[in-house]
């Protein structure tokens, strides 16, 4: 795939979370299906945004590899925060700027480019390949599991390889071996039947915002540890091998503190910052709302809580533990309700002796000779890997060529154009190796 192709695709504002962009989502799907013409590319409806499927099954006796990526993107956010319009991609130096360049259109086109190149050069592929491109990853893949079940025969494979994710840094080739899960809950505190004048009623009624603040203050200890009974019941402590693996990831506490702009770092005691960022569960207050800048006691107050989960934590059990805690700590004079937000996903990990993992490391060594290839962990969540295992029984190798500093989900997202060629080379090498290893 060429830089021009990436420009074309990034210019399509395929924002899955914006109902007004549904036509753009479909336009991106049609564009991709056309690019997959040699693989029978087609747009397949789901309960939401469509999938794009394709396949090449001419390698008799060889394994079948499912290539996953997503073509939807996050909203652009504040237009004024971008140096150039987010859906008018521009190349500055060795980078292309635009929403979706790094997450996930650049890495996706590197994967598809490898398939395209091998077919052009050899007339065949070393393995059978199925293509699965999703249009809802950025909204939590709400329809993916049902779509996988509905298309099970068309997706039957031996292993999945995902172009989504990110390497630890642009200088350090790496393969993600794990990603944290996620669950969110909404807390609603209700007090008076309607907003009250704070002069007329102040001192006579419990303030839902104050009550909510009191509840939220009980979620953590002063040292940053989660204080919710049952939250960590299924969490296994990090083994020595885990800590050694994490410790090999390049990381500097001081540089990280300066990067995020805080006076000091804070979190669960007994763990390094990097361990807390990648391999420990979290509970965060992501939003609080209620009332306004006027003299009022609000009728209600809301909080949105998000948790990153580690292996063995069940999203529903974690949400239930939070609900019990919140209800137990509700002050008098108000009522509280807690609702789990649909779409909770457990953590994902690939077994360390999986042959696809060794093949990925060898492919990266070939493209980046002389550099050590690290096994890293993603602090974020990749729903597709969990859903592919649940619905199709597939392990997923995370093989992305974006880098964690490329501002995905934020303003001025960019993709290093060198990664387009490097990724294509590595994917081509990986497919050759999977033919031998699986």
């Amino acid at each position: 795939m060429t830089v021009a192709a990436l420009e074309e695709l990034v210019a399509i504002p395929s924002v899955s979370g914006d109902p007004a962009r549904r036509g753009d989502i479909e336009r991106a799907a049609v564009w991709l299906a056309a690019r997959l013409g040699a693989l029978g590319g087609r747009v397949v409806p789901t309960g939401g945004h469509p999938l794009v499927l394709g396949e090449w099954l001419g390698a008799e006796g060889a394994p079948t590899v499912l290539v996953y990526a997503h073509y939807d993107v996050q909203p652009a956010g504040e237009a004024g925060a971008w140096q150039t319009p987010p859906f008018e991609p521009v190349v500055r130096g060795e980078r292309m700027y635009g929403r979706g360049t790094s997450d996930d259109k650049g890495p996706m086109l590197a994967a598809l480019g490898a398939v395209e190149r091998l077919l052009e050069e050899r007339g065949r592929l070393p393995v059978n390949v199925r293509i699965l491109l999703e249009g809802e990853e950025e909204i939590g893949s709400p329809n993916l599991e049902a779509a996988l079940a509905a298309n099970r025969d068309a997706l039957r494979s031996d292993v999945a390889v995902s172009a989504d994710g990110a390497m630890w840094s642009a200088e350090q080739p790496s393969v993600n071996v794990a990603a944290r899960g996620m669950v969110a809950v909404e807390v609603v505190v209700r007090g008076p039947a309607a907003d009250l004048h704070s002069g007329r009623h102040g001192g006579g009624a419990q303030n839902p915002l104050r009550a909510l603040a009191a509840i939220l203050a009980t979620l953590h200890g002063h040292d940053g540890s989660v204080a919710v009974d049952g939250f960590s019941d299924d969490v296994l402590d990090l083994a020595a091998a885990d800590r050694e693996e994490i410790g090999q990831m390049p990381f500097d506490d001081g540089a990280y503190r300066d990067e995020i702009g805080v006076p000091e770092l804070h979190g669960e005691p007994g763990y390094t910052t990097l361990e807390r960022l990648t391999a420990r569960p979290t509970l965060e207050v992501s939003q609080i709302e209620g009332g306004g800048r006027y003299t009022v006691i609000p009728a209600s107050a809301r909080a949105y809580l998000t948790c990153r989960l580690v292996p063995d934590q069940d999203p529903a059990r974690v949400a239930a533990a939070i609900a019990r805690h919140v209800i137990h700590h509700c002050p008098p004079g108000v009522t509280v309700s807690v609702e789990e937000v649909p779409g909770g996903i457990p953590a994902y990990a690939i077994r360390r002796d999986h042959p696809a993992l060794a093949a990925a490391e060898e492919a990266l060594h070939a493209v980046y000779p002389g550099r050590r290839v690290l096994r890293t962990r993603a602090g974020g969540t990749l729903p597709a890997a969990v859903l592919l295992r649940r619905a199709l029984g597939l392990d997923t190798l995370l093989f992305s060529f974006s880098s964690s500093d490329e501002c995905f989900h934020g303003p001025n997202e960019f993709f290093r154009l060198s990664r387009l060629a490097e990724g294509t080379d590595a994917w081509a090498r990986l497919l050759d190796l999977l033919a031998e290893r699986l």
Side-chain angles (χ1 to χ4, degrees):
M1 293 285 181
T2 64
V3 172
L6 181 56
E7 285 179 326
E8 285 184 31
L9 186 55
V10 172
I12 302 175
S14 49
V15 182
S16 52
D18 183 353
R21 294 292 190 185
R22 186 170 186 86
D24 294 313
I25 284 278
E26 293 174 354
R27 188 155 57 98
V30 169
W31 188 96
L32 286 163
R35 294 293 305 202
L36 294 175
L39 285 79
R42 58 202 181 274
V43 178
V44 177
T46 74
H49 298 314
L51 302 176
V52 178
L53 302 184
E55 62 276 316
W56 186 91
L57 304 175
E60 185 177 355
T64 300
V65 177
L66 178 66
V67 176
Y68 167 86
H70 69 88
Y71 65 89
D72 65 317
V73 301
Q74 283 280 333
E78 291 293 330
W82 288 77
Q83 294 182 17
T84 52
F87 296 110
E88 296 177 17
V90 61
V91 175
R92 296 199 296 270
E94 296 300 315
R95 301 175 173 184
M96 181 183 293
Y97 288 82
R99 172 58 84 228
T101 49
S102 179
D103 185 17
D104 181 38
K105 293 179 177 180
M108 175 174 64
L109 292 190
L112 300 183
V115 173
E116 189 176 273
R117 188 175 78 186
L118 288 173
L119 286 173
E120 289 176 354
E121 292 178 353
R122 305 178 188 176
R124 58 180 291 106
L125 300 177
V127 292
N128 299 297
V129 168
R130 298 187 189 274
I131 305 294
L132 167 61
L133 309 179
E134 185 193 2
E136 296 186 329
E137 195 276 342
E138 297 294 6
I139 55 173
S141 302
N143 293 288
L144 181 59
E145 187 166 14
L148 293 175
N151 295 277
R152 183 176 286 111
D153 289 342
L155 298 171
R156 197 178 304 277
S157 304
D158 296 293
V159 70
V161 186
S162 172
D164 192 22
M167 285 196 191
W168 185 245
S169 73
E171 296 75 30
Q172 178 64 66
S174 60
V175 182
N176 274 331
V177 296
R180 291 192 291 189
M182 182 177 175
V183 67
V185 299
E186 185 176 56
V187 178
V188 180
V189 175
R190 294 180 174 86
D195 290 355
L196 301 177
H197 189 290
S198 63
R200 171 70 178 83
H201 300 282
Q206 174 70 277
N207 186 314
L209 270 171
R210 185 171 63 193
L212 178 60
I215 292 170
L216 299 179
T218 69
L219 295 176
H220 298 84
H222 291 297
D223 61 2
S225 58
V226 176
V228 175
D229 286 343
F231 179 86
S232 300
D233 282 357
D234 298 321
V235 176
L236 299 178
D237 202 3
L238 292 175
D242 294 320
R243 304 191 94 158
E244 181 179 359
E245 184 177 83
I246 295 168
Q248 292 179 6
M249 297 165 62
F251 189 81
D252 179 85
D253 275 26
Y256 174 67
R257 181 198 62 219
D258 294 342
E259 175 190 342
I260 64 174
V262 296
E264 63 180 76
L265 301 179
H266 180 70
E268 184 183 16
Y271 299 92
T272 68
T273 303
L274 192 51
E275 288 169 349
R276 298 197 304 264
L277 290 173
T278 62
R280 294 295 297 168
T282 65
L283 195 172
E284 301 293 349
V285 181
S286 296
Q287 184 183 43
I288 301 173
E289 60 181 12
R293 289 180 62 88
Y294 51 98
T295 54
V296 66
I297 298 172
S300 64
R302 299 172 180 268
Y304 186 72
L305 311 181
T306 56
C307 306
R308 298 294 175 169
L309 310 178
V310 295
D312 295 327
Q313 280 187 298
D314 176 74
R317 289 187 63 182
V318 170
I322 294 170
R324 289 193 301 270
H325 179 97
V326 166
I327 292 168
H328 177 72
H329 287 86
C330 181
V334 294
T335 61
V336 66
S337 62
V338 185
E339 181 178 351
E340 179 183 352
V341 178
I345 286 287
Y348 174 78
I350 190 170
R351 71 176 198 268
R352 300 305 194 269
D353 64 347
H354 198 291
L357 186 56
E361 291 172 324
E362 186 172 333
L364 290 175
H365 278 299
V367 174
Y368 302 105
R371 298 196 212 177
R372 185 171 57 147
V373 176
L374 292 184
R375 295 183 174 188
T376 58
R377 301 175 183 226
T381 303
L382 299 171
V386 175
L387 298 178
L388 286 167
R389 177 176 283 171
R390 184 186 293 167
L392 302 179
L394 294 178
D395 291 324
T396 299
L397 172 70
L398 305 175
F399 199 62
S400 174
F401 284 82
S402 65
S403 300
S404 57
D405 66 342
E406 289 177 341
C407 302
F408 38 83
H409 293 207
N412 303 306
E413 180 181 353
F414 69 91
F415 184 61
R416 291 174 171 86
L417 293 178
S418 61
R419 292 299 187 111
L420 197 58
E422 293 163 6
T424 299
D425 290 345
W427 272 89
R429 180 61 179 149
L430 175 66
L431 294 178
D432 277 335
L433 290 167
L434 291 176
E436 302 170 4
R437 303 287 178 82
L438 293 180

